[in-house]
Amino acid sequence: MANDTLSASAAGLRAAHLRRGPWGHLWADEPTVAEAVDWVIDSFYDLVDIVEQQV
């Protein structure tokens, strides 16, 4: 989780942290992850709204 979001952010990409399962919820509260991501979402369906807002 953290490896994916931190690497994406470091590469200049927009990142969303999917809060799913025990690790997803655990990492969502980690300060380094919270600072690196643009969004914390609970479902992939949330990405639809995000993408529509960005277009």
Side-chain angles (χ1 to χ4, degrees), residues 5 14-18 36-41 47 50-51 53-54:
T5 56
R14 308 287 302 269
H17 175 78
L18 177 60
V37 299
D38 299 291
W39 305 278
V40 176
I41 60 174
L47 285 175
I50 291 169
V51 170
Q53 291 174 4
Q54 301 301 310

Side-chain angles (χ1 to χ4, degrees), residues 1-40:
M1 309 282 176
N3 292 339
D4 297 337
T5 56
L6 297 177
S7 299
S9 180
L13 300 173
R14 308 287 302 269
H17 175 78
L18 177 60
R19 188 175 17 205
R20 183 178 71 171
W23 292 109
H25 287 275
L26 177 71
W27 281 109
D29 296 329
E30 177 65 31
T32 55
V33 172
E35 291 174 13
V37 299
D38 299 291
W39 305 278
V40 176

